[in-house]
Amino acid sequence: MASTETTSQSAPGAPGEDPADPSADAATDHATDHATDGATDGATGAPAAPAADAPATAPAGPPADTSATGAPHTKTGSAAGDLAGLEAGLDALDSAVVSRQPWLRTAVSKAFPPLVAVAIVLALWQLAYHFQLKPHYLLPSPLDVYRSLQQKWLEGTLLSFVWTSVSRGALGFVASVAIGTLLGLIVARVKPVRAAIGPILSGLQSLPSVAWVPAAIIWFGLSDATIYAVVLLGAVPSIANGLVSGVDQIPPLYLRAGRTIGATGLTGVRHVLLPAALPGYLAGLKQGWAFSWRSLMAAELIVNAPDLGTGLGQLLEQGRELQDMSWVLAAILLILIVGIGIELLIFAPIERRVLRSRGLLVKS
């Protein structure tokens, strides 16, 4: 500041100085600016600004963010890396490492537990026969039952018995699916119908199928219509209730999304409602087949006429009439084998595929 005051107070007419000289004015202004900057820097404690003639440094781009490891990276790269790490961690947590095994080892691992269970049952059965818990004519041995099945096979009638019952059960089940699906959709989507019919469906599901046989005989006589009527009355309530349960478990977001994209009416039912309700619907179908098969056996036991053909139910009744326990147990064994076979060959693969497509079942 002292230099500034000295310069400003100098007389304009000092010897050797031209007031109109521009070089002198420039030198005076330069000295004033330099002194002012130096005083400001000293007061604030900040380093002095570089000289005007110092070379300028080019900007280094966006500021870098230094992580805990000291590696500089941008904020965008940091967020992307964190997200990728999170996704990789979740994938590693949810997914299981699957190693492909030889098909023979897989088949043995799946077949071994059921075979062991069957062997245990046969052993206990043979022990009961050996120690005569019942007389032999009331409790034959497994070998006696096998001989009875072999006799029917050699007569050429065993497959016809099985086919008669399976064809009836399949036709009745298909009709039950068509009726039960339509009824289930109406009950699930129309509230007044649900309030009126819902409790009736639950009651019909708990009603034993054999209770319908006398009424069906009075209505249709000793005919195939009686058998199919019993099958329908036994299977339709189960299928309808299964579909209603599946529809009730659909998240509302799916239905709103379907309406947003224009999936309404039959299109919405086909592409949104039924696929979303498929797990519950599939459970209803499995239960419907079980009720259909049980209803069929009950109807064949009672409805017995020469022109109806002989199914497994009629075969069981014939064994009872002849007091042939080996025949009776052979018929029971065939009914059990058919029920297990339908479950393992049809419903179990469909259920695994549905669960796997929804991420509820991991391949092993």
Side-chain angles (χ1 to χ4, degrees), residues 237-271:
S238 300
I239 297 174
N241 282 329
L243 182 55
V244 170
S245 178
V247 172
D248 290 341
Q249 296 174 6
I250 298 177
L253 180 61
Y254 291 176
L255 302 179
R256 290 197 297 267
R259 289 192 295 267
T260 300
I261 63 176
T264 58
L266 293 179
T267 303
V269 170
R270 178 184 176 186
H271 296 286

XYZ file of all heavy atoms in Angstrom, residues 237-271:
250
model
N -66.342 -81.271 -8.819
C -66.137 -80.342 -7.697
C -64.669 -80.147 -7.328
O -64.253 -79.026 -6.993
C -66.922 -80.994 -6.556
C -67.950 -81.839 -7.224
C -67.286 -82.355 -8.446
N -63.870 -81.187 -7.398
C -62.452 -81.064 -7.061
C -61.724 -80.174 -8.058
O -60.899 -79.320 -7.681
C -61.801 -82.447 -7.013
O -62.412 -83.266 -6.043
N -61.996 -80.354 -9.335
C -61.331 -79.530 -10.354
C -61.758 -78.076 -10.234
O -60.938 -77.146 -10.316
C -61.637 -80.095 -11.749
C -61.055 -81.503 -11.889
C -61.091 -79.182 -12.835
C -61.421 -82.207 -13.169
N -63.052 -77.841 -10.042
C -63.539 -76.471 -9.916
C -62.961 -75.781 -8.683
O -62.510 -74.626 -8.746
C -65.072 -76.470 -9.858
N -62.929 -76.472 -7.563
C -62.364 -75.869 -6.351
C -60.873 -75.617 -6.486
O -60.347 -74.622 -5.966
C -62.620 -76.775 -5.145
C -64.041 -76.665 -4.628
O -64.666 -75.613 -4.727
N -64.560 -77.744 -4.081
N -60.153 -76.494 -7.180
C -58.734 -76.260 -7.411
C -58.486 -75.022 -8.244
O -57.574 -74.230 -7.964
N -59.301 -74.815 -9.283
C -59.146 -73.619 -10.107
C -59.516 -72.361 -9.329
O -58.856 -71.319 -9.457
C -60.011 -73.753 -11.363
C -59.926 -72.595 -12.365
C -58.488 -72.337 -12.775
C -60.787 -72.878 -13.578
N -60.558 -72.418 -8.524
C -60.934 -71.260 -7.702
C -59.801 -70.901 -6.743
O -59.463 -69.723 -6.568
C -62.241 -71.557 -6.932
C -62.514 -70.466 -5.903
C -63.411 -71.672 -7.892
N -59.197 -71.907 -6.141
C -58.072 -71.651 -5.241
C -56.893 -71.045 -5.986
O -56.226 -70.129 -5.488
C -57.660 -72.955 -4.557
O -56.540 -72.752 -3.725
N -56.615 -71.522 -7.194
C -55.528 -70.954 -7.972
C -55.779 -69.516 -8.380
O -54.871 -68.676 -8.355
N -57.019 -69.184 -8.753
C -57.356 -67.812 -9.122
C -57.244 -66.879 -7.917
O -56.788 -65.731 -8.029
C -58.765 -67.756 -9.741
C -59.220 -66.309 -9.950
C -58.793 -68.502 -11.067
N -57.644 -67.369 -6.748
C -57.548 -66.531 -5.541
C -56.104 -66.197 -5.183
O -55.852 -65.196 -4.515
C -58.219 -67.243 -4.361
C -59.732 -67.313 -4.511
O -60.282 -66.531 -5.314
O -60.355 -68.158 -3.844
N -55.158 -66.996 -5.603
C -53.754 -66.775 -5.265
C -53.003 -65.957 -6.307
O -51.798 -65.745 -6.170
C -53.056 -68.122 -5.073
C -53.604 -68.929 -3.908
C -52.998 -70.311 -3.821
O -52.077 -70.648 -4.555
N -53.525 -71.137 -2.925
N -53.686 -65.488 -7.356
C -53.030 -64.661 -8.377
C -52.785 -63.265 -7.809
O -53.703 -62.645 -7.280
C -53.896 -64.571 -9.644
C -54.096 -65.957 -10.250
C -53.264 -63.642 -10.670
C -55.011 -65.962 -11.457
N -51.571 -62.720 -7.913
C -51.338 -61.334 -7.482
C -52.186 -60.367 -8.305
O -52.280 -60.508 -9.528
C -49.838 -61.125 -7.737
C -49.253 -62.498 -7.743
C -50.323 -63.393 -8.315
N -52.818 -59.370 -7.682
C -53.649 -58.426 -8.448
C -52.876 -57.678 -9.515
O -53.452 -57.233 -10.508
C -54.178 -57.479 -7.361
C -54.080 -58.243 -6.086
C -52.884 -59.130 -6.232
N -51.561 -57.540 -9.339
C -50.757 -56.827 -10.323
C -50.806 -57.517 -11.680
O -50.815 -56.856 -12.721
C -49.308 -56.734 -9.826
C -48.316 -56.004 -10.741
C -48.742 -54.563 -10.932
C -46.914 -56.091 -10.172
N -50.856 -58.847 -11.696
C -50.914 -59.572 -12.963
C -52.203 -59.252 -13.721
O -52.188 -59.043 -14.943
C -50.829 -61.074 -12.711
C -49.494 -61.558 -12.215
C -49.305 -62.891 -11.877
C -48.426 -60.679 -12.052
C -48.078 -63.342 -11.404
C -47.202 -61.120 -11.580
C -47.041 -62.446 -11.259
O -45.834 -62.894 -10.789
N -53.302 -59.228 -12.990
C -54.581 -58.945 -13.642
C -54.628 -57.516 -14.159
O -55.137 -57.260 -15.265
C -55.723 -59.201 -12.652
C -55.795 -60.627 -12.067
C -56.948 -60.742 -11.080
C -55.938 -61.659 -13.174
N -54.100 -56.559 -13.378
C -54.085 -55.165 -13.847
C -53.174 -55.011 -15.060
O -53.497 -54.277 -16.002
C -53.625 -54.244 -12.720
C -54.638 -54.104 -11.587
C -54.335 -52.890 -10.732
N -53.048 -53.003 -10.066
C -52.881 -53.496 -8.846
N -53.935 -53.944 -8.167
N -51.685 -53.561 -8.298
N -52.045 -55.712 -15.049
C -51.151 -55.651 -16.203
C -51.820 -56.246 -17.441
O -51.677 -55.724 -18.552
C -49.850 -56.389 -15.900
N -52.567 -57.325 -17.261
C -53.276 -57.908 -18.393
C -54.329 -56.970 -18.968
O -54.460 -56.839 -20.191
N -55.073 -56.296 -18.081
C -56.060 -55.331 -18.587
C -55.387 -54.152 -19.271
O -55.924 -53.588 -20.233
C -56.939 -54.852 -17.431
C -57.905 -55.906 -16.901
C -58.941 -55.293 -15.983
N -58.331 -54.753 -14.773
C -58.201 -55.418 -13.635
N -58.626 -56.678 -13.565
N -57.657 -54.863 -12.582
N -54.210 -53.765 -18.794
C -53.512 -52.625 -19.395
C -53.095 -52.925 -20.827
O -53.180 -52.055 -21.704
C -52.272 -52.270 -18.552
O -52.698 -51.938 -17.222
C -51.532 -51.080 -19.153
N -52.651 -54.138 -21.088
C -52.216 -54.477 -22.443
C -53.370 -54.973 -23.306
O -53.154 -55.406 -24.437
C -51.110 -55.539 -22.399
C -51.637 -56.844 -21.787
C -49.899 -55.024 -21.635
C -50.614 -57.969 -21.792
N -54.590 -54.924 -22.774
C -55.766 -55.272 -23.560
C -56.180 -56.725 -23.489
O -57.007 -57.166 -24.302
N -55.641 -57.501 -22.549
C -56.006 -58.915 -22.411
C -57.251 -59.015 -21.536
O -57.166 -59.157 -20.320
C -54.852 -59.713 -21.811
N -58.406 -58.911 -22.157
C -59.677 -58.992 -21.452
C -60.527 -60.097 -22.080
O -60.249 -60.570 -23.180
C -60.424 -57.655 -21.520
O -60.645 -57.298 -22.898
C -59.621 -56.544 -20.832
N -61.567 -60.494 -21.354
C -62.467 -61.522 -21.872
C -61.770 -62.870 -21.978
O -60.967 -63.257 -21.129
N -62.067 -63.590 -23.061
C -61.473 -64.911 -23.258
C -59.959 -64.818 -23.469
O -59.216 -65.723 -23.069
C -62.120 -65.596 -24.462
C -63.607 -65.967 -24.298
C -64.132 -66.615 -25.564
C -63.790 -66.904 -23.102
N -59.499 -63.719 -24.082
C -58.055 -63.537 -24.264
C -57.350 -63.415 -22.921
O -56.278 -63.999 -22.702
C -57.790 -62.294 -25.120
O -58.475 -62.424 -26.368
C -56.304 -62.121 -25.373
N -57.931 -62.660 -22.004
C -57.340 -62.536 -20.674
C -57.365 -63.845 -19.911
O -56.426 -64.169 -19.182
N -58.444 -64.627 -20.088
C -58.522 -65.920 -19.414
C -57.450 -66.862 -19.945
O -56.779 -67.575 -19.173
C -59.923 -66.527 -19.610
C -59.950 -67.974 -19.131
C -60.957 -65.719 -18.858
N -57.257 -66.855 -21.253
C -56.293 -67.788 -21.857
C -54.848 -67.398 -21.585
O -54.017 -68.261 -21.289
C -56.544 -67.841 -23.366
C -55.561 -68.736 -24.108
C -55.794 -68.663 -25.604
N -54.804 -69.447 -26.334
C -54.702 -69.463 -27.656
N -55.544 -68.752 -28.399
N -53.771 -70.193 -28.246
N -54.522 -66.114 -21.687
C -53.129 -65.684 -21.629
C -52.708 -65.147 -20.261
O -51.502 -65.014 -20.017
C -52.874 -64.599 -22.687
C -53.041 -65.089 -24.088
N -52.122 -65.912 -24.712
C -54.033 -64.883 -24.995
C -52.531 -66.183 -25.949
N -53.684 -65.570 -26.146
